[in-house]
Amino acid sequence: MTRAARVPFLLAALLTLAGVILGVGLVPSVAQDPIRIGASLSLTGTYAALGQNQQRGYQLCAKHVNDKGGVLGRRIEFVFYDDQSQPATGVRLYERLITQDGVDLVLGPYSSAITEAVANVNEKYKKPMVAPMASTTSIFKKGRKFIFMVQSPAEVYLEGLIDLAARNGLRTVALINEDTLFPKASIQGAIELAKKKGLQVVFVEAYPKGHTDFSAILTKIRAANPDVLGAATYFDDAVAITRQMKELNVNPKMYEVTVGGDLPKFYELLGKNAEYVYGATQWEPELPYPGTKDFVEAYRKEFPGADLSYHSAGGYAGCQVLVEGVRRARSLDGEKIRGEILKLNLNTVYGAFRVDDDGFQVAHKMVMFQWQDGKKVIVWPEDLAAGKARFPTPAWNQR
């Protein structure tokens, strides 16, 4: 190579090296369109409180990614739609995002029921979908290649309740659930766990989505007089069941809701009636995960006064996982991103992320809290517990 030819060659090499170091490629980010990520979320309807929290997690992740220069040298930008908590609407919206809006990537909606419905859409178009708020095992065991789980599975949501009940000598369990995918899986898991721990399941009943009057079910439970009540819920029904338990004087020694009890609004609405209630959660601000403290501070600054829950952190983490997959793939090609996500062993603000070949989560840990003096205190498992459970729960007229 002549000296004249060597100069541009070296210049090109230096530019390539700079691009590698910065992770931005050769073209300045200002010259490229943003990477567009599509998602439908439950911004209205039954799951609205939870879907809105998830959306704020996505939004904060995008801000932080862009503050650090984006990915592949491009900013990321979300395209959101409201699926109104309806699976069929979610399917229509993901079709629109991919075929009409032409988004580059997708992220998951809220809930197992909607994720199960839309999973075939992203599968058809080979769009990797990190699904941070879908925990029902069956979604990830149907041979799909492009969906990835972030949470612990639905079947262990009531594990802490069953374990603590058995260790405290309780014997009988009643279980109720919304008649949709995730709650049904949670109850089936609780039944299996109860059998293993030697507890007798004395009552199981499902109620339809959107149900508000639980008096008939709770009257039956009061007659069965179980030691433990586990309710596989979402936010609205978790509040209503707790309120109506007091009205009907239903007094199990332990009572847990799977979803909704963790929101600050749960205590705001119920006040002291929320005391002693147990809740399942995938994440809490005090858990020692990398970046969690900074995430919490940034969230409260970005969304002052807004609810912060595991749905917010999960949304953020799902975005972290997708962005890391893109960064390692150095491409927006679905097959390449899928391959990199399958190899990830990542610590997110939400805890550990690692999936098997089906995209099924194998690293994340579930915890159980109890409302104590207006605060959530993690009481299970022991290695993550910040306090002890207040046991047994006193009768309503003794609180």
Side-chain angles (χ1 to χ4, degrees):
M1 185 181 294
T2 66
R3 181 181 177 83
R6 194 177 297 131
V7 171
F9 173 80
L10 289 174
L11 180 59
L14 286 170
L15 285 171
T16 300
L17 178 60
V20 170
I21 291 172
L22 295 173
V24 297
L26 289 175
V27 182
S29 59
V30 294
Q32 298 191 69
D33 292 332
I35 295 171
R36 300 169 76 229
I37 304 174
S40 88
L41 288 165
S42 301
L43 303 180
T44 60
T46 307
Y47 309 143
L50 311 168
Q52 291 166 8
N53 280 10
Q54 181 181 349
Q55 182 188 37
R56 286 191 284 270
Y58 283 164
Q59 290 170 322
L60 187 59
C61 173
K63 181 178 188 300
H64 288 173
V65 169
N66 291 334
D67 286 347
K68 294 179 180 178
V71 61
L72 305 183
R74 298 166 63 182
R75 295 173 58 81
I76 62 173
E77 177 182 285
F78 271 99
V79 180
F80 289 124
Y81 288 119
D82 177 11
D83 58 36
Q84 302 172 330
S85 305
Q86 297 297 328
T89 305
V91 170
R92 179 173 56 79
L93 292 175
Y94 275 86
E95 281 279 357
R96 174 177 173 173
L97 285 163
I98 295 170
T99 63
Q100 297 181 38
D101 297 329
V103 297
D104 299 292
L105 303 165
V106 294
L107 273 167
Y110 177 75
S111 84
S112 288
I114 300 174
T115 303
E116 167 63 32
V118 306
N120 292 332
V121 179
N122 70 287
E123 194 75 14
K124 179 170 65 176
Y125 296 106
K126 298 184 177 180
K127 292 281 187 186
M129 183 167 78
V130 180
M133 288 297 121
S135 58
T136 303
T137 297
S138 62
I139 298 171
F140 304 89
K141 296 296 182 183
K142 293 185 175 178
R144 292 166 172 150
K145 293 177 60 181
F146 292 92
I147 186 167
F148 307 95
M149 188 177 187
V150 176
Q151 299 182 322
S152 299
E155 289 80 0
V156 301
Y157 264 68
L158 293 171
E159 183 179 7
L161 178 74
I162 299 298
D163 185 50
L164 278 189
R167 284 198 271 151
N168 281 289
L170 303 186
R171 302 299 303 167
T172 56
V173 183
L175 299 166
I176 58 177
N177 64 283
E178 183 188 90
D179 194 14
T180 54
L181 192 62
F182 157 77
K184 286 195 289 189
S186 295
I187 291 305
Q188 192 55 46
I191 291 171
E192 297 301 320
L193 290 165
K195 289 179 181 176
K196 290 179 182 177
K197 293 288 185 178
L199 275 68
Q200 182 183 3
V201 178
V202 296
F203 181 89
V204 181
E205 187 164 321
Y207 56 85
K209 181 181 177 182
H211 200 60
T212 58
D213 182 1
F214 298 91
S215 57
I217 294 176
L218 291 173
T219 299
K220 295 177 193 174
I221 292 172
R222 186 177 61 192
N225 193 29
D227 294 328
V228 179
L229 173 59
T233 55
Y234 291 99
F235 177 73
D236 291 342
D237 43 345
V239 172
I241 290 168
T242 307
R243 186 174 282 148
Q244 292 173 32
M245 282 176 65
K246 182 182 180 185
E247 293 170 358
L248 293 167
N249 199 32
V250 179
N251 286 297
K253 295 180 176 65
M254 296 181 74
Y255 160 57
E256 179 179 2
V257 296
T258 56
V259 178
D262 63 301
L263 297 185
K265 284 183 180 175
F266 183 80
Y267 200 93
E268 290 174 19
L269 289 172
L270 292 169
K272 291 185 177 180
N273 292 333
E275 291 287 329
Y276 296 95
V277 176
Y278 296 89
T281 179
Q282 300 269 0
W283 173 91
E284 289 298 317
E286 64 267 34
L287 288 171
Y289 301 142
T292 294
K293 183 179 178 182
D294 291 341
F295 162 77
V296 172
E297 290 177 357
Y299 186 93
R300 287 176 173 155
K301 182 179 179 182
E302 189 75 12
F303 309 109
D307 262 347
L308 170 62
S309 68
Y310 75 78
H311 315 87
S312 317
Y316 188 96
C319 172
Q320 279 186 297
V321 169
L322 180 63
V323 168
E324 185 63 16
V326 171
R327 189 185 71 80
R328 296 191 185 200
R330 305 180 69 77
S331 167
L332 295 177
D333 179 81
E335 291 279 4
K336 291 180 180 177
I337 296 170
R338 171 182 181 268
E340 293 300 328
I341 292 176
L342 287 176
K343 292 187 288 187
L344 286 180
N345 188 0
L346 192 66
N347 286 313
T348 73
V349 300
Y350 202 58
F353 175 90
R354 191 173 72 253
V355 294
D356 66 13
D357 291 341
D358 295 323
F360 182 81
Q361 182 58 228
V362 295
H364 189 264
K365 288 187 176 179
M366 194 88 199
V367 301
M368 182 174 75
F369 67 87
Q370 184 183 38
W371 282 103
Q372 298 180 357
D373 300 325
K375 297 179 180 178
K376 289 185 289 182
V377 178
I378 296 173
V379 297
W380 184 94
E382 287 185 358
D383 61 335
L384 294 174
K388 290 188 176 182
R390 293 178 176 174
F391 174 88
T393 298
W396 290 105
N397 61 6
Q398 296 172 12
R399 299 184 197 180

